[in-house]
Coordinates of all heavy atoms in Angstrom, one line a residue:
M1 N 0.8 -1.2 0.0 CA 0.0 0.0 0.0 C 0.9 1.3 0.0 O 0.5 2.2 -0.7 CB -0.9 -0.1 1.2 CG -1.8 1.1 1.3 SD -3.2 0.7 0.3 CE -4.5 1.4 1.2
K2 N 2.0 1.2 0.8 CA 2.9 2.3 0.8 C 3.5 2.6 -0.5 O 3.6 3.8 -0.9 CB 3.9 2.0 1.9 CG 4.7 3.2 2.3 CD 5.6 2.9 3.5 CE 6.2 4.1 4.1 NZ 7.0 3.9 5.2
N3 N 3.9 1.6 -1.3 CA 4.5 1.8 -2.6 C 3.5 2.4 -3.5 O 3.8 3.2 -4.4 CB 5.0 0.4 -3.1 CG 6.3 0.0 -2.4 OD1 7.0 0.8 -1.8 ND2 6.6 -1.3 -2.5
T4 N 2.2 2.0 -3.4 CA 1.2 2.5 -4.3 C 1.0 4.0 -4.0 O 0.8 4.8 -4.9 CB -0.2 1.7 -4.1 OG1 0.1 0.3 -4.2 CG2 -1.2 2.2 -5.0
T5 N 1.0 4.4 -2.7 CA 0.8 5.7 -2.4 C 2.0 6.6 -2.9 O 1.8 7.7 -3.4 CB 0.7 5.9 -0.8 OG1 -0.4 5.0 -0.4 CG2 0.4 7.3 -0.4
L6 N 3.2 6.1 -2.7 CA 4.4 6.8 -3.2 C 4.3 6.9 -4.7 O 4.6 8.0 -5.3 CB 5.6 6.1 -2.8 CG 6.0 6.2 -1.3 CD1 7.2 5.4 -1.0 CD2 6.3 7.7 -1.0
A7 N 3.9 5.9 -5.4 CA 3.8 5.9 -6.9 C 2.8 6.9 -7.3 O 3.0 7.7 -8.3 CB 3.5 4.5 -7.4
L8 N 1.6 6.9 -6.7 CA 0.5 7.8 -7.0 C 0.9 9.3 -6.7 O 0.7 10.1 -7.6 CB -0.7 7.4 -6.2 CG -2.0 8.2 -6.5 CD1 -2.3 8.1 -8.0 CD2 -3.1 7.7 -5.7
S9 N 1.6 9.5 -5.6 CA 2.0 10.9 -5.3 C 3.1 11.3 -6.3 O 3.2 12.5 -6.6 CB 2.4 11.0 -3.8 OG 3.6 10.3 -3.6
G10 N 3.9 10.4 -6.7 CA 5.0 10.7 -7.7 C 4.4 11.1 -9.0 O 4.8 12.0 -9.7
A11 N 3.3 10.3 -9.4 CA 2.6 10.6 -10.7 C 1.9 12.0 -10.6 O 2.0 12.7 -11.6 CB 1.6 9.5 -11.0
L12 N 1.3 12.3 -9.5 CA 0.6 13.6 -9.3 C 1.6 14.7 -9.4 O 1.4 15.7 -10.0 CB -0.2 13.6 -8.0 CG -1.4 12.7 -8.0 CD1 -2.0 12.7 -6.6 CD2 -2.4 13.2 -9.0

Side-chain angles (χ1 to χ4, degrees):
M1 182 82 144
K2 193 174 193 178
N3 287 340
T4 305
T5 304
L6 286 175
L8 185 56
S9 65
L12 287 174

